[in-house]
Amino acid sequence: MATPTLTRPAPSTTTGNSLKLRQPRKKLTVGRSAAIVVAAFIAVLWLIPFAWATATAFKTETDAAAPDVTWLPPSGFTPEAFVKVFQDGNIPLWTWNSLYTSAAITAITLVISALVAYALSRIDFKGKKVLMTVIIASIIIPPPVLIIPLFYQMLALNLIDTSWAIILPQVIHPAMVFVLKKFFDQIPRELEEAAVMDGASRLRIFTQIILPLSRPILAAVAIFVFIGAWNNFLWPFIATNDGNLLTLPVGLQTIKSAYGIQYAQNMASALLAALPLIVVFLFFQRQIIKGVATTGLAGT
């Protein structure tokens, strides 16, 4: 009696790539087309002033102050405005002061804001709702209102004309606490419950579970805080009188001319102050967009 033989099915010639479902292309609807046109229009509106500032910065002072508005100066483009700014001011020192104070503000703000947000999101304690209400209410307080109390506080602590006078008053950001709290609320509690069953402490859960899952929002918060600290002019201007502690926005304002307004130099100074922020945005724009998209503010 013949025994039946088992035969293997012929191998499929379909490749792995062909098994993947093809995602349908998004159709260009009327609404999407209108959104693209509006976005392009807004982008052009933003780029025109920036292009005009760049063109003015590379003009001579005579061409920049001429009554006739022209994109192409009669004398041609020249970098003499930038050379003059570097000659009259200590740009490397001011840039370094802005860099390390902004970095310190960003680091301290991240630590404080993340700890407070985690406590508000995961820990039940007496007065939690009151504290959350105070944090939300403090977001609407204009920062200039706090300048006089902060100045007297720094004066009492003998911190005026020090780097700490610039750093410490800027490390409290209620808005960043609120954003991080909303993000932590979206992290499943089951992950923490499993870690607790394995014997993990609250600090270990925070550092090894919550923070790694929060990298996008932490990056976005860090970038926003850094940009705000870098652009801050009023408080560093009030807190320091020492020329060696001036930040870049404050230092550039000390470059004045006895011949009136120097338009080319002013535009050159503005571009120098904005250049680091442009570089930061170009390198971290994905983190900014991803962080904003995952903050969870849509349901608030």
Side-chain angles (χ1 to χ4, degrees):
M1 180 177 181
T3 58
T5 58
L6 299 177
T7 59
R8 294 181 180 180
S12 176
T13 58
T14 307
T15 60
N17 293 333
S18 61
L19 293 176
K20 296 181 180 180
L21 296 177
R22 294 183 180 180
Q23 296 182 353
R25 295 182 180 180
K26 295 182 179 180
K27 296 181 179 180
L28 192 61
T29 61
V30 177
R32 182 177 294 273
S33 302
I36 294 175
V37 172
V38 172
F41 179 73
I42 295 175
V44 170
L45 288 180
W46 182 88
L47 287 174
I48 289 176
F50 181 77
W52 177 255
T54 305
T56 304
F58 284 96
K59 293 179 181 179
T60 62
E61 291 296 344
T62 303
D63 293 336
D68 298 331
V69 179
T70 57
W71 285 89
L72 300 177
S75 304
F77 292 106
T78 175
E80 67 178 31
F82 291 92
V83 175
K84 185 66 174 176
V85 170
F86 274 92
Q87 290 177 350
D88 294 344
N90 196 344
I91 302 298
L93 177 62
W94 298 341
T95 303
W96 167 248
N97 291 339
S98 290
L99 182 61
Y100 83 80
T101 55
S102 299
I105 291 169
T106 302
I108 299 175
T109 301
L110 276 180
V111 174
I112 295 176
S113 300
L115 289 173
V116 175
Y118 179 71
L120 292 172
S121 176
R122 290 296 194 265
I123 303 176
D124 294 327
F125 55 90
K126 189 176 181 179
K128 176 179 176 180
K129 293 183 178 180
V130 176
L131 179 59
M132 192 64 195
T133 302
V134 172
I135 291 175
I136 296 175
S138 61
I139 296 176
I140 65 176
I141 298 178
V145 174
L146 304 176
I147 286 180
I148 295 178
L150 287 175
F151 180 81
Y152 279 109
Q153 185 177 11
M154 294 297 104
L155 191 62
L157 296 174
N158 295 322
L159 294 178
I160 294 297
D161 279 340
T162 64
S163 298
W164 288 111
I166 301 175
I167 296 172
L168 291 180
Q170 300 187 67
V171 298
I172 305 300
H173 281 268
M176 299 298 107
V177 174
F178 178 74
V179 168
L180 288 173
K181 193 263 183 187
K182 296 299 295 182
F183 186 88
F184 292 161
D185 289 343
Q186 297 179 350
I187 298 178
R189 293 179 179 268
E190 289 77 7
L191 298 176
E192 298 178 62
E193 294 173 357
V196 170
M197 295 180 62
D198 292 338
S201 63
R202 179 77 70 176
L203 180 61
R204 185 176 181 182
I205 293 173
F206 176 70
T207 56
Q208 298 186 6
I209 296 178
I210 301 298
L211 292 184
L213 293 175
S214 307
R215 288 177 182 174
I217 188 61
L218 291 175
V221 168
I223 293 170
F224 291 144
V225 172
F226 182 86
I227 292 175
W230 183 280
N231 285 331
N232 195 346
F233 167 80
L234 186 58
W235 177 249
F237 176 75
I238 294 175
T240 57
N241 293 317
D242 189 353
N244 294 324
L245 296 175
L246 297 181
T247 58
L248 187 59
V250 178
L252 291 174
Q253 294 301 316
T254 63
I255 304 176
K256 301 296 182 181
S257 175
Y259 300 99
I261 300 176
Q262 303 294 307
Y263 295 102
Q265 291 186 35
N266 288 343
M267 292 300 177
S269 300
L271 288 178
L272 289 175
L275 183 60
L277 300 183
I278 296 174
V279 174
V280 169
F281 178 79
L282 291 177
F283 277 97
F284 299 101
Q285 56 180 325
R286 289 186 178 180
Q287 286 78 2
I288 294 175
I289 297 173
K290 188 175 182 180
V292 172
T294 54
T295 51
L297 295 178
T300 60

